[in-house]
Amino acid sequence: MTDTTTNSGLADATLDEIRLALAPAIAANAGFDGWGDDARDLAADAVGVDRDVARLAFPGGAVEMIDAWFASVDAAMLAQLPPERLAAMKIRAKITALVEARLTETAPNREALRRALAILALPQNALRGVKLGWHAADVMWRAAGDTATDYNHYTKRTILAGVYAATITVFLDDESDGHAATSAFLARRIEGIMRFEKTKARLIGQSDLRPSLSRFIGRLRYPAV
């Protein structure tokens, strides 16, 4: 087969770069052809990548294609919302905008997303699906400016991953104008996150004021003079 990568500007591209270039085109085909060889080959033809090279780029098959598509969605989301734009927003608005940007990127390929989630739900792919959900939440929190490294790092991402997954479930069947039903659902869930964060901060603050048993025992052993 003739190598067409020289016609696409990808002649010197790495496999990672080829994966990102192919992923959106694969998703565009996957809604009709599934996440398989046909979608990949058609995408390779459209982008101008040799089919054999495209096959090498996705040795893990469908799950790797889905992973690459999600990575391309991350990149598009961050391009929509650069740091200087996010910096002017409050945290609630940042998270909402980031989730909505991801949905906007996947909207043209909702059937491909539906099929992707069905593949990730298979027992052999479930762990990979959880990791991809976690990664999506991590990318969004980092873009929003979160720098937590303690247990907050994990709770924030776990909660947002759950909210995002639930929102996608609504989104896939949302036929309302401008996906208004999805936006309303997301707003309610983001409100829940904000309430949780406020309650958590208040409880942590109160715990700092509580008497410390270890300090009390220490004073009994070594009373102040």
Side-chain angles (χ1 to χ4, degrees):
M1 183 178 294
T2 302
D3 189 347
T4 59
T5 55
T6 55
N7 297 325
S8 66
L10 294 171
D12 299 320
T14 65
L15 285 180
D16 283 341
E17 291 168 337
I18 289 172
R19 275 191 282 271
L20 282 177
L22 286 172
I26 294 175
N29 296 317
F32 298 97
D33 300 307
W35 289 91
D37 293 348
D38 289 344
R40 183 200 61 220
D41 289 344
L42 288 171
D45 294 345
V47 174
V49 171
D50 185 272
R51 288 187 174 190
D52 290 335
V53 174
R55 189 176 299 110
L56 287 174
F58 300 104
V63 173
E64 287 197 4
M65 296 180 210
I66 294 166
D67 190 343
W69 182 40
F70 288 174
S72 72
V73 170
D74 285 338
M77 173 190 72
L78 295 175
Q80 279 190 50
L81 296 164
E84 59 272 18
R85 182 176 173 188
L86 288 170
M89 301 179 184
K90 294 184 177 180
I91 187 64
R92 182 197 308 265
K94 288 179 183 180
I95 296 299
T96 300
L98 288 161
V99 174
E100 288 183 340
R102 290 184 67 86
L103 297 177
T104 297
E105 285 301 317
T106 58
N109 298 305
R110 279 202 295 177
E111 187 54 37
L113 179 59
R114 191 190 307 277
R115 291 185 179 221
L117 295 178
I119 291 171
L120 293 176
L122 295 173
Q124 65 268 31
N125 300 327
L127 181 58
R128 187 71 171 271
V130 170
K131 289 181 177 179
L132 289 175
W134 173 275
H135 180 72
D138 183 50
V139 171
M140 287 187 277
W141 270 119
R142 289 181 185 277
D146 179 65
T147 58
T149 57
D150 57 7
Y151 77 96
N152 285 310
H153 174 91
Y154 300 98
T155 58
K156 286 180 177 180
R157 283 148 183 79
T158 299
I159 294 170
L160 181 56
V163 167
Y164 181 52
T167 303
I168 286 177
T169 300
V170 175
F171 171 69
L172 288 174
D173 295 315
D174 184 5
E175 300 301 332
S176 61
D177 291 341
H179 301 121
T182 300
S183 295
F185 178 87
L186 175 61
R188 293 193 298 272
R189 294 303 178 271
I190 295 295
E191 175 63 24
I193 292 179
M194 295 301 105
R195 284 201 305 268
F196 175 79
E197 288 299 316
K198 288 178 181 178
T199 301
K200 183 174 65 176
R202 187 171 64 252
L203 291 174
I204 291 173
Q206 290 174 350
S207 67
D208 291 340
L209 298 176
R210 291 172 186 163
S212 167
L213 179 60
S214 61
R215 287 199 300 268
F216 175 70
I217 293 174
R219 287 174 182 173
L220 289 177
R221 294 178 60 190
Y222 307 104
V225 296

